Coordinates of all heavy atoms in Angstrom, one line a residue:
M20 N 192.0 115.7 236.0 CA 192.2 115.6 234.5 C 193.1 116.7 234.1 O 193.1 117.8 234.7 CB 190.8 115.6 233.8 CG 190.1 117.0 233.8 SD 188.6 117.0 232.9 CE 187.7 118.3 233.8
L21 N 193.8 116.5 233.0 CA 194.6 117.5 232.4 C 193.9 118.2 231.3 O 193.3 117.6 230.4 CB 195.9 116.9 231.8 CG 196.9 117.9 231.3 CD1 197.5 118.7 232.4 CD2 198.0 117.2 230.5
V22 N 193.8 119.5 231.4 CA 193.2 120.4 230.4 C 194.2 121.3 229.9 O 194.9 122.0 230.6 CB 192.0 121.2 231.0 CG1 191.4 122.1 230.0 CG2 190.9 120.2 231.6
L23 N 194.3 121.4 228.6 CA 195.2 122.3 227.9 C 194.4 123.5 227.5 O 193.3 123.4 226.8 CB 195.8 121.7 226.7 CG 197.0 122.3 226.0 CD1 198.2 122.3 226.9 CD2 197.3 121.7 224.7
I24 N 194.7 124.7 228.0 CA 194.0 125.9 227.6 C 194.9 126.8 226.7 O 196.0 127.0 227.1 CB 193.6 126.7 228.9 CG1 192.7 125.9 229.8 CG2 192.9 128.0 228.5 CD1 192.4 126.6 231.1
T25 N 194.4 127.1 225.6 CA 195.1 128.0 224.7 C 194.2 129.2 224.4 O 193.0 129.1 224.4 CB 195.5 127.3 223.4 OG1 194.3 127.1 222.6 CG2 196.2 126.0 223.6
Y26 N 194.8 130.4 224.1 CA 194.0 131.6 223.8 C 194.7 132.4 222.8 O 196.0 132.4 222.7 CB 193.7 132.3 225.1 CG 194.9 132.7 226.0 CD1 195.6 133.9 225.7 CD2 195.3 131.9 227.0 CE1 196.7 134.2 226.5 CE2 196.4 132.2 227.8 CZ 197.1 133.4 227.5 OH 198.2 133.7 228.3
D27 N 193.9 133.2 222.2 CA 194.4 134.2 221.3 C 193.6 135.5 221.5 O 192.4 135.5 221.2 CB 194.3 133.8 219.8 CG 195.0 134.7 218.8 OD1 195.8 135.6 219.2 OD2 194.6 134.7 217.6
V28 N 194.2 136.5 222.1 CA 193.5 137.7 222.4 C 194.0 138.8 221.5 O 195.2 139.0 221.4 CB 193.7 138.1 223.9 CG1 193.1 139.4 224.2 CG2 193.2 137.0 224.8
N29 N 193.1 139.5 220.9 CA 193.5 140.7 220.0 C 194.0 141.8 220.8 O 193.3 142.4 221.7 CB 192.2 141.1 219.2 CG 192.5 142.2 218.2 OD1 193.3 143.1 218.4 ND2 191.9 142.1 217.1
T30 N 195.3 142.2 220.6 CA 195.9 143.2 221.4 C 196.2 144.5 220.6 O 197.0 145.3 220.9 CB 197.3 142.7 221.9 OG1 198.1 142.3 220.8 CG2 197.1 141.5 222.8
Q31 N 195.3 144.8 219.6 CA 195.5 146.0 218.8 C 195.0 147.2 219.6 O 195.3 148.3 219.2 CB 194.8 145.9 217.5 CG 195.4 144.8 216.6 CD 194.7 144.7 215.3 OE1 193.5 145.0 215.2 NE2 195.3 144.2 214.3
T32 N 194.2 147.0 220.7 CA 193.7 148.1 221.5 C 194.2 148.0 222.9 O 194.7 146.9 223.3 CB 192.2 148.2 221.5 OG1 191.7 147.0 222.1 CG2 191.6 148.2 220.1
A33 N 194.1 149.1 223.7 CA 194.5 149.0 225.1 C 193.6 148.0 225.8 O 194.0 147.3 226.7 CB 194.4 150.4 225.7
A34 N 192.3 148.0 225.5 CA 191.4 147.1 226.1 C 191.8 145.6 225.8 O 191.7 144.7 226.7 CB 189.9 147.3 225.6
G35 N 192.2 145.4 224.6 CA 192.7 144.0 224.3 C 193.9 143.6 225.0 O 194.0 142.5 225.5
R36 N 194.9 144.5 225.2 CA 196.1 144.2 226.0 C 195.7 144.0 227.5 O 196.2 143.1 228.1 CB 197.1 145.3 225.9 CG 197.7 145.4 224.5 CD 198.8 146.4 224.4 NE 198.3 147.8 224.4 CZ 197.8 148.5 223.4 NH1 197.7 148.0 222.2 NH2 197.4 149.8 223.6
K37 N 194.7 144.7 228.0 CA 194.2 144.5 229.3 C 193.6 143.1 229.5 O 193.8 142.4 230.4 CB 193.2 145.6 229.7 CG 192.8 145.5 231.2 CD 191.9 146.7 231.5 CE 191.5 146.7 232.9 NZ 190.6 147.9 233.3
R38 N 192.8 142.7 228.5 CA 192.1 141.4 228.5 C 193.2 140.3 228.5 O 193.1 139.3 229.2 CB 191.2 141.2 227.3 CG 189.9 141.9 227.4 CD 188.9 141.5 226.4 NE 189.4 141.4 225.0 CZ 189.5 142.4 224.1 NH1 189.1 143.6 224.5 NH2 189.9 142.2 222.9
L39 N 194.2 140.5 227.7 CA 195.3 139.5 227.6 C 195.9 139.3 228.9 O 196.2 138.1 229.4 CB 196.4 139.9 226.6 CG 197.6 139.0 226.4 CD1 197.2 137.7 225.9 CD2 198.6 139.7 225.6
R40 N 196.2 140.3 229.6 CA 196.8 140.2 231.0 C 195.9 139.5 231.9 O 196.3 138.7 232.7 CB 197.2 141.6 231.5 CG 198.4 142.2 230.8 CD 198.9 143.5 231.5 NE 197.9 144.6 231.6 CZ 197.7 145.4 230.6 NH1 198.4 145.4 229.5 NH2 196.8 146.4 230.7
K41 N 194.6 139.8 231.9 CA 193.6 139.2 232.7 C 193.5 137.7 232.5 O 193.5 136.9 233.4 CB 192.3 139.8 232.6 CG 192.1 141.2 233.2 CD 190.7 141.7 233.1 CE 190.5 143.0 233.8 NZ 189.1 143.5 233.7
V42 N 193.5 137.3 231.2 CA 193.4 135.9 230.8 C 194.6 135.2 231.3 O 194.5 134.1 232.0 CB 193.2 135.7 229.3 CG1 193.4 134.3 228.9 CG2 191.9 136.2 228.8
A43 N 195.8 135.7 231.1 CA 197.0 135.0 231.5 C 197.1 134.9 233.0 O 197.5 133.9 233.6 CB 198.3 135.8 231.0
K44 N 196.7 135.9 233.7 CA 196.7 135.9 235.2 C 195.8 134.8 235.7 O 196.1 134.1 236.7 CB 196.3 137.3 235.8 CG 196.4 137.4 237.3 CD 196.1 138.8 237.7 CE 196.2 138.9 239.2 NZ 195.9 140.2 239.7
Q45 N 194.6 134.7 235.1 CA 193.7 133.6 235.6 C 194.2 132.2 235.3 O 194.1 131.3 236.1 CB 192.3 133.8 234.9 CG 191.5 135.0 235.5 CD 191.3 134.9 237.0 OE1 191.0 133.8 237.5 NE2 191.4 136.0 237.7
C46 N 194.8 132.1 234.1 CA 195.4 130.8 233.8 C 196.5 130.4 234.7 O 196.6 129.2 235.1 CB 195.9 130.8 232.3 SG 194.5 130.8 231.1
V47 N 197.3 131.3 235.1 CA 198.4 131.1 236.1 C 197.8 130.5 237.4 O 198.4 129.7 238.1 CB 199.3 132.3 236.3 CG1 200.1 132.2 237.5 CG2 200.1 132.6 235.1
N48 N 196.6 131.0 237.8 CA 196.0 130.6 239.0 C 195.6 129.1 239.0 O 195.3 128.5 240.0 CB 194.8 131.4 239.3 CG 195.1 132.8 239.7 OD1 196.2 133.1 240.2 ND2 194.2 133.7 239.5
Y49 N 195.4 128.5 237.8 CA 194.9 127.2 237.6 C 195.9 126.2 237.0 O 195.7 125.0 237.0 CB 193.6 127.2 236.7 CG 192.5 127.8 237.4 CD1 192.3 129.2 237.4 CD2 191.6 127.0 238.1 CE1 191.2 129.7 238.1 CE2 190.5 127.6 238.8 CZ 190.3 128.9 238.8 OH 189.2 129.5 239.4
G50 N 197.0 126.7 236.5 CA 197.9 125.7 235.8 C 199.3 126.3 235.6 O 199.6 127.4 236.1
Q51 N 200.1 125.6 234.7 CA 201.4 126.0 234.4 C 201.5 126.4 233.0 O 201.0 125.8 232.1 CB 202.4 124.8 234.6 CG 202.5 124.4 236.1 CD 203.1 125.4 236.9 OE1 204.1 126.1 236.6 NE2 202.6 125.6 238.1
R52 N 202.2 127.6 232.7 CA 202.4 128.1 231.4 C 203.4 127.1 230.7 O 204.5 126.9 231.3 CB 202.9 129.5 231.4 CG 203.1 130.1 230.0 CD 203.8 131.4 230.1 NE 203.0 132.4 230.8 CZ 202.2 133.3 230.3 NH1 202.0 133.3 229.0 NH2 201.6 134.2 231.1
V53 N 203.1 126.6 229.6 CA 204.1 125.8 228.8 C 204.5 126.5 227.5 O 205.6 126.1 227.0 CB 203.5 124.4 228.5 CG1 203.4 123.6 229.8 CG2 202.2 124.4 227.7
Q54 N 203.8 127.5 227.1 CA 204.2 128.3 226.0 C 203.5 129.7 226.2 O 202.6 129.8 227.1 CB 203.9 127.7 224.6 CG 204.7 126.5 224.3 CD 204.6 126.1 222.9 OE1 203.8 126.6 222.1 NE2 205.4 125.1 222.5
N55 N 203.7 130.7 225.4 CA 203.2 132.0 225.6 C 201.7 132.0 225.9 O 201.3 132.6 226.9 CB 203.5 132.9 224.5 CG 204.9 133.4 224.5 OD1 205.6 133.3 225.5 ND2 205.4 133.9 223.3
S56 N 200.9 131.4 225.1 CA 199.4 131.4 225.3 C 198.9 130.0 225.5 O 197.8 129.7 225.1 CB 198.8 132.1 224.1 OG 199.2 133.4 224.0
V57 N 199.7 129.2 226.2 CA 199.3 127.8 226.4 C 199.6 127.4 227.8 O 200.7 127.5 228.3 CB 200.1 126.8 225.4 CG1 199.6 125.4 225.7 CG2 199.9 127.2 224.0
F58 N 198.5 126.8 228.5 CA 198.6 126.4 229.9 C 198.2 125.0 230.0 O 197.2 124.6 229.4 CB 197.8 127.3 230.8 CG 198.4 128.6 231.0 CD1 198.3 129.7 230.1 CD2 199.1 128.9 232.2 CE1 198.8 130.9 230.3 CE2 199.6 130.1 232.5 CZ 199.5 131.1 231.5
E59 N 198.9 124.2 230.8 CA 198.5 122.9 231.2 C 197.9 123.0 232.6 O 198.6 123.5 233.5 CB 199.7 121.9 231.2 CG 200.2 121.5 229.9 CD 201.4 120.6 229.9 OE1 201.9 120.3 231.0 OE2 201.7 120.1 228.8
C60 N 196.7 122.6 232.8 CA 196.0 122.7 234.1 C 195.5 121.3 234.5 O 194.7 120.6 233.8 CB 194.8 123.6 233.9 SG 195.2 125.3 233.3
Q61 N 195.9 120.9 235.7 CA 195.5 119.7 236.3 C 194.3 120.1 237.3 O 194.5 120.7 238.3 CB 196.6 119.1 237.2 CG 196.3 117.8 237.8 CD 196.2 116.7 236.7 OE1 196.9 116.7 235.7 NE2 195.3 115.7 237.0
V62 N 193.1 119.8 236.8 CA 191.9 120.3 237.5 C 190.8 119.2 237.6 O 190.8 118.3 236.8 CB 191.3 121.5 236.8 CG1 192.2 122.7 236.9 CG2 191.0 121.3 235.4
D63 N 189.9 119.3 238.6 CA 188.8 118.5 238.6 C 187.7 119.2 237.8 O 187.8 120.3 237.3 CB 188.3 118.1 240.0 CG 188.0 119.4 240.8 OD1 187.7 120.4 240.3 OD2 188.1 119.3 242.1
S64 N 186.5 118.5 237.7 CA 185.5 119.1 236.8 C 184.9 120.4 237.3 O 184.5 121.3 236.6 CB 184.3 118.0 236.7 OG 183.8 117.7 237.9
V65 N 184.9 120.6 238.7 CA 184.4 121.8 239.2 C 185.4 123.0 238.9 O 185.0 124.0 238.4 CB 184.3 121.7 240.8 CG1 184.0 123.1 241.4 CG2 183.2 120.7 241.1
K66 N 186.7 122.8 239.1 CA 187.7 123.8 238.7 C 187.7 124.1 237.2 O 187.9 125.2 236.8 CB 189.1 123.4 239.2 CG 189.2 123.3 240.7 CD 189.6 124.6 241.2 CE 190.0 124.5 242.7 NZ 189.9 125.8 243.3
Y67 N 187.5 123.0 236.4 CA 187.4 123.2 235.0 C 186.3 124.2 234.6 O 186.5 125.1 233.8 CB 187.3 121.9 234.2 CG 187.0 122.1 232.8 CD1 188.0 122.6 231.9 CD2 185.8 121.7 232.2 CE1 187.7 122.8 230.6 CE2 185.5 121.9 230.9 CZ 186.5 122.4 230.1 OH 186.2 122.6 228.7
R68 N 185.1 123.9 235.1 CA 183.9 124.8 234.8 C 184.2 126.2 235.3 O 183.8 127.2 234.7 CB 182.7 124.2 235.4 CG 182.2 123.0 234.7 CD 180.8 122.5 235.1 NE 180.6 122.3 236.5 CZ 180.8 121.1 237.1 NH1 181.2 120.1 236.4 NH2 180.7 121.0 238.4
Q69 N 184.8 126.3 236.5 CA 185.1 127.6 237.1 C 186.1 128.4 236.2 O 185.8 129.6 235.9 CB 185.8 127.4 238.4 CG 185.9 128.6 239.3 CD 186.5 128.2 240.7 OE1 187.4 127.4 240.8 NE2 185.9 128.8 241.7
I70 N 187.2 127.8 235.8 CA 188.2 128.6 235.0 C 187.6 128.9 233.6 O 187.8 130.0 233.1 CB 189.5 127.9 234.8 CG1 190.5 128.7 234.0 CG2 189.4 126.5 234.2 CD1 190.9 130.1 234.6
R71 N 186.8 128.0 233.0 CA 186.2 128.2 231.7 C 185.2 129.4 231.8 O 185.2 130.3 231.0 CB 185.4 127.0 231.3 CG 184.9 127.1 229.9 CD 184.2 125.9 229.4 NE 183.6 126.2 228.1 CZ 183.7 125.4 227.1 NH1 184.3 124.3 227.1 NH2 183.0 125.7 226.0
A72 N 184.4 129.5 232.9 CA 183.4 130.6 233.0 C 184.2 131.9 233.2 O 183.8 132.9 232.6 CB 182.5 130.3 234.2
I73 N 185.2 131.9 234.0 CA 186.0 133.1 234.2 C 186.6 133.6 232.9 O 186.5 134.8 232.6 CB 187.1 132.9 235.3 CG1 186.5 132.6 236.7 CG2 188.1 134.0 235.3 CD1 187.5 132.1 237.7
L74 N 187.2 132.7 232.2 CA 187.8 133.2 230.9 C 186.8 133.6 229.9 O 187.0 134.6 229.2 CB 188.7 132.0 230.4 CG 189.9 131.7 231.2 CD1 190.6 130.5 230.6 CD2 190.8 132.8 231.4
E75 N 185.7 133.0 229.8 CA 184.6 133.4 228.9 C 184.1 134.8 229.2 O 183.7 135.5 228.3 CB 183.5 132.3 228.8 CG 183.9 131.1 228.1 CD 182.7 130.1 228.0 OE1 181.6 130.5 228.0 OE2 183.0 128.9 227.8
E76 N 184.1 135.1 230.5 CA 183.6 136.5 230.9 C 184.7 137.5 230.5 O 184.3 138.7 230.2 CB 183.4 136.5 232.4 CG 182.2 135.8 232.9 CD 180.9 136.5 232.4 OE1 180.8 137.8 232.4 OE2 180.0 135.8 231.9
I77 N 185.9 137.2 230.5 CA 187.0 138.1 230.2 C 187.1 138.5 228.7 O 187.2 139.6 228.3 CB 188.4 137.6 230.7 CG1 188.3 137.5 232.2 CG2 189.5 138.6 230.2 CD1 189.6 136.9 232.8
I78 N 187.1 137.4 227.9 CA 187.4 137.7 226.5 C 186.2 138.4 225.7 O 185.1 138.4 226.2 CB 187.7 136.3 225.7 CG1 186.5 135.5 225.6 CG2 188.9 135.6 226.4 CD1 186.6 134.4 224.5
D79 N 186.6 138.9 224.6 CA 185.6 139.5 223.7 C 185.4 138.4 222.6 O 186.3 138.2 221.8 CB 186.2 140.8 223.0 CG 185.3 141.4 222.0 OD1 184.3 140.8 221.5 OD2 185.5 142.6 221.7
K80 N 184.3 137.8 222.6 CA 184.0 136.7 221.7 C 184.0 137.1 220.2 O 184.1 136.2 219.4 CB 182.7 136.0 222.1 CG 182.9 135.3 223.4 CD 181.6 134.6 223.9 CE 181.8 134.0 225.2 NZ 180.6 133.7 225.9
D81 N 184.0 138.4 219.9 CA 184.0 138.8 218.5 C 185.4 138.9 218.0 O 185.7 138.8 216.8 CB 183.3 140.2 218.4 CG 181.8 140.1 218.6 OD1 181.2 139.0 218.3 OD2 181.3 141.1 219.1
T82 N 186.4 139.1 218.9 CA 187.8 139.3 218.4 C 188.8 138.3 219.0 O 189.9 138.1 218.5 CB 188.3 140.7 218.7 OG1 188.3 140.9 220.1 CG2 187.4 141.7 218.0
D83 N 188.5 137.6 220.1 CA 189.4 136.7 220.8 C 188.9 135.3 220.7 O 187.8 135.0 220.3 CB 189.5 137.1 222.3 CG 189.8 138.6 222.6 OD1 190.4 139.2 221.7 OD2 189.4 139.1 223.6
S84 N 189.8 134.4 221.1 CA 189.4 133.0 221.1 C 190.0 132.2 222.2 O 191.1 132.5 222.7 CB 189.7 132.3 219.7 OG 191.1 132.2 219.6
L85 N 189.3 131.2 222.7 CA 189.8 130.2 223.7 C 189.6 128.8 223.1 O 188.7 128.6 222.4 CB 188.9 130.3 224.9 CG 189.0 131.5 225.8 CD1 187.9 131.5 226.8 CD2 190.3 131.6 226.5
R86 N 190.6 127.9 223.5 CA 190.4 126.5 223.2 C 190.7 125.7 224.4 O 191.7 126.0 225.1 CB 191.4 126.1 222.1 CG 190.9 126.6 220.7 CD 191.9 126.1 219.6 NE 191.4 126.5 218.3 CZ 190.9 125.6 217.4 NH1 190.9 124.3 217.7 NH2 190.5 126.0 216.3
F87 N 189.9 124.7 224.7 CA 190.1 123.9 225.8 C 190.3 122.4 225.3 O 189.4 121.9 224.6 CB 188.9 123.9 226.8 CG 188.6 125.3 227.3 CD1 187.8 126.2 226.7 CD2 189.2 125.7 228.5 CE1 187.6 127.4 227.2 CE2 189.0 127.0 229.0 CZ 188.2 127.8 228.4
Y88 N 191.4 121.8 225.6 CA 191.7 120.4 225.1 C 191.6 119.6 226.4 O 192.5 119.7 227.3 CB 193.0 120.3 224.5 CG 193.1 121.1 223.2 CD1 193.6 122.4 223.2 CD2 192.8 120.6 222.0 CE1 193.7 123.2 222.1 CE2 192.9 121.3 220.8 CZ 193.4 122.6 220.9 OH 193.5 123.4 219.7
N89 N 190.6 118.7 226.5 CA 190.5 117.8 227.6 C 191.3 116.5 227.4 O 190.8 115.7 226.6 CB 189.0 117.5 227.9 CG 188.3 118.8 228.3 OD1 188.5 119.3 229.3 ND2 187.4 119.2 227.4
L90 N 192.4 116.4 228.0 CA 193.2 115.2 227.8 C 192.9 114.1 228.8 O 193.5 113.0 228.7 CB 194.7 115.6 227.9 CG 195.1 116.6 226.8 CD1 196.6 117.0 227.0 CD2 194.9 116.1 225.4
G91 N 192.1 114.4 229.8 CA 191.7 113.4 230.8 C 192.7 113.0 231.8 O 193.7 113.7 232.0
D92 N 192.6 111.9 232.5 CA 193.5 111.4 233.5 C 194.6 110.6 233.0 O 195.6 110.5 233.6 CB 192.7 110.6 234.6 CG 191.7 111.5 235.3 OD1 192.0 112.6 235.6 OD2 190.6 111.0 235.7
K93 N 194.5 110.0 231.8 CA 195.6 109.2 231.2 C 196.3 110.0 230.2 O 196.5 109.5 229.1 CB 195.0 107.9 230.7 CG 194.3 107.1 231.8 CD 193.8 105.8 231.3 CE 193.1 105.1 232.5 NZ 192.6 103.8 232.2
Y94 N 196.7 111.2 230.5 CA 197.3 112.1 229.5 C 198.8 111.8 229.3 O 199.3 112.2 228.3 CB 197.1 113.5 230.0 CG 197.9 113.8 231.3 CD1 199.2 114.2 231.3 CD2 197.2 113.6 232.5 CE1 199.8 114.4 232.5 CE2 197.8 113.9 233.7 CZ 199.1 114.2 233.7 OH 199.8 114.5 234.9
K95 N 199.5 111.1 230.2 CA 200.9 111.0 230.1 C 201.3 110.3 228.8 O 202.4 110.6 228.2 CB 201.5 110.2 231.3 CG 201.4 111.0 232.5 CD 202.1 110.4 233.7 CE 202.0 111.3 234.9 NZ 202.7 110.9 236.0
S96 N 200.5 109.4 228.2 CA 200.9 108.7 227.0 C 200.4 109.6 225.8 O 200.8 109.3 224.6 CB 200.2 107.4 226.9 OG 198.8 107.5 226.9
K97 N 199.7 110.7 226.0 CA 199.2 111.6 224.9 C 200.1 112.8 224.8 O 199.9 113.5 223.8 CB 197.8 112.0 225.2 CG 196.8 110.8 225.3 CD 195.4 111.3 225.7 CE 194.5 110.1 225.9 NZ 193.2 110.6 226.4
V98 N 201.0 113.1 225.7 CA 201.8 114.3 225.6 C 203.2 113.9 225.4 O 203.8 113.1 226.1 CB 201.7 115.1 226.9 CG1 202.5 116.3 226.9 CG2 200.2 115.5 227.2
E99 N 203.8 114.5 224.3 CA 205.2 114.3 224.1 C 205.9 115.7 224.0 O 205.3 116.7 223.5 CB 205.4 113.6 222.7 CG 204.9 112.2 222.7 CD 205.2 111.5 221.4 OE1 206.3 111.7 220.8 OE2 204.3 110.8 220.9
H100 N 207.1 115.8 224.5 CA 207.8 117.1 224.4 C 209.1 116.9 223.7 O 209.8 115.9 223.9 CB 208.1 117.6 225.9 CG 208.9 118.8 225.9 ND1 208.4 120.0 225.8 CD2 210.3 119.0 226.0 CE1 209.4 120.9 225.8 NE2 210.5 120.3 226.0
V101 N 209.4 117.8 222.8 CA 210.7 117.8 222.1 C 211.2 119.3 222.1 O 210.5 120.2 221.9 CB 210.4 117.4 220.6 CG1 211.7 117.5 219.8 CG2 209.8 116.0 220.5
G102 N 212.5 119.4 222.4 CA 213.1 120.7 222.3 C 213.4 121.4 223.6 O 213.4 120.8 224.6
A103 N 213.5 122.7 223.5 CA 213.9 123.5 224.7 C 212.8 123.5 225.7 O 211.7 123.1 225.5 CB 214.2 124.9 224.2
K104 N 213.1 124.1 226.9 CA 212.2 124.1 228.0 C 211.7 122.8 228.4 O 210.7 122.3 228.0 CB 211.0 125.0 227.7 CG 211.3 126.5 227.4 CD 210.1 127.3 227.2 CE 210.5 128.7 226.9 NZ 209.3 129.6 226.6
P105 N 212.5 122.1 229.2 CA 212.1 120.7 229.6 C 210.7 120.6 230.2 O 210.2 121.5 230.8 CB 213.2 120.3 230.6 CG 213.9 121.6 231.0 CD 213.6 122.6 229.9
S106 N 210.1 119.4 229.9 CA 208.8 119.2 230.4 C 208.8 118.9 231.9 O 209.9 118.6 232.4 CB 208.3 117.9 229.6 OG 206.9 117.7 229.9
F107 N 207.7 119.0 232.5 CA 207.6 118.7 233.9 C 206.3 118.1 234.2 O 205.3 118.2 233.4 CB 207.7 120.0 234.8 CG 206.8 121.1 234.4 CD1 205.6 121.2 234.9 CD2 207.2 122.0 233.4 CE1 204.7 122.2 234.5 CE2 206.4 123.1 233.0 CZ 205.1 123.1 233.6
D108 N 206.2 117.4 235.3 CA 204.9 116.7 235.7 C 204.0 117.7 236.5 O 204.4 118.2 237.5 CB 205.3 115.5 236.6 CG 204.1 114.7 237.0 OD1 202.9 115.1 236.7 OD2 204.2 113.6 237.5
V109 N 202.9 118.1 235.9 CA 202.0 119.1 236.5 C 201.4 118.6 237.8 O 200.8 119.4 238.5 CB 200.9 119.5 235.5 CG1 201.6 120.2 234.3 CG2 200.0 118.4 235.0
T110 N 201.5 117.3 238.1 CA 200.9 116.8 239.3 C 201.9 116.9 240.5 O 201.4 116.8 241.6 CB 200.4 115.4 239.2 OG1 201.5 114.5 238.9 CG2 199.4 115.3 238.1
E111 N 203.1 117.1 240.2 CA 204.1 117.2 241.3 C 204.2 118.6 241.8 O 204.0 119.5 241.1 CB 205.5 116.7 240.7 CG 205.6 115.3 240.3 CD 205.4 114.3 241.4 OE1 206.0 114.6 242.5 OE2 204.8 113.3 241.2
P112 N 204.6 118.7 243.1 CA 204.7 120.1 243.7 C 205.9 120.8 243.0 O 206.9 120.1 242.7 CB 205.0 119.8 245.2 CG 205.1 118.4 245.3 CD 204.8 117.7 244.1
L113 N 205.8 122.1 242.9 CA 206.9 122.9 242.3 C 207.8 123.4 243.5 O 207.2 123.9 244.5 CB 206.4 124.1 241.5 CG 205.7 123.7 240.2 CD1 205.1 125.0 239.6 CD2 206.6 123.1 239.3
I114 N 209.1 123.2 243.4 CA 210.0 123.7 244.4 C 210.8 124.8 243.8 O 211.5 124.6 242.8 CB 210.9 122.6 244.9 CG1 210.0 121.5 245.5 CG2 211.9 123.1 245.9 CD1 210.7 120.2 245.9
F115 N 210.8 126.0 244.5 CA 211.6 127.1 244.0 C 212.8 127.4 244.9 O 212.8 127.2 246.0 CB 210.7 128.4 243.9 CG 209.7 128.3 242.9 CD1 208.4 127.9 243.3 CD2 209.9 128.6 241.6 CE1 207.4 127.9 242.3 CE2 208.9 128.5 240.6 CZ 207.6 128.2 241.0

């Protein structure tokens, strides 16, 4: 299933900046960055629960926020891209 993960981490303190780096690093492990604080993750239910638990442990729930958008398996008709940074298929292998 495709899960869109978005986050907003308060970076007014050194601890907040550290949390932001940790959140971004974990998201990179599970998906592709599509905007600064937005990741598209192609995961199964086990991986979804895993990344969600990891991120919830990192953030400060009083100052930061996470959003998880579950787009399911039939997401291709639900996602449209307009503008810069061409879209890519998250299920295809990346070649560098």
Side-chain angles (χ1 to χ4, degrees):
M20 71 179 152
L21 182 68
V22 176
L23 194 68
I24 300 175
T25 68
Y26 54 88
D27 187 17
V28 176
N29 184 322
T30 58
Q31 293 178 338
T32 65
R36 292 186 290 277
K37 185 175 182 179
R38 286 193 314 275
L39 177 65
R40 287 190 300 275
K41 285 182 176 183
V42 168
K44 185 175 181 179
Q45 288 301 319
C46 287
V47 166
N48 290 336
Y49 288 85
Q51 295 293 320
R52 184 187 300 264
V53 292
Q54 291 190 358
N55 284 341
S56 298
V57 181
F58 283 80
E59 289 179 349
C60 304
Q61 184 71 34
V62 293
D63 58 24
S64 59
V65 172
K66 291 276 188 197
Y67 171 67
R68 287 191 304 272
Q69 189 176 44
I70 184 61
R71 184 176 174 138
I73 290 168
L74 294 177
E75 285 184 25
E76 285 293 317
I77 295 171
I78 69 161
D79 178 345
K80 293 179 182 160
D81 293 328
T82 61
D83 307 333
S84 67
L85 291 168
R86 285 182 176 251
F87 299 90
Y88 297 90
N89 296 294
L90 299 176
D92 292 323
K93 298 182 181 181
Y94 62 89
K95 289 187 180 187
S96 64
K97 298 175 185 175
V98 177
E99 294 182 42
H100 175 84
V101 177
K104 297 183 183 178
S106 187
F107 53 88
D108 186 348
V109 295
T110 62
E111 296 293 321
L113 292 175
I114 299 172
F115 293 96

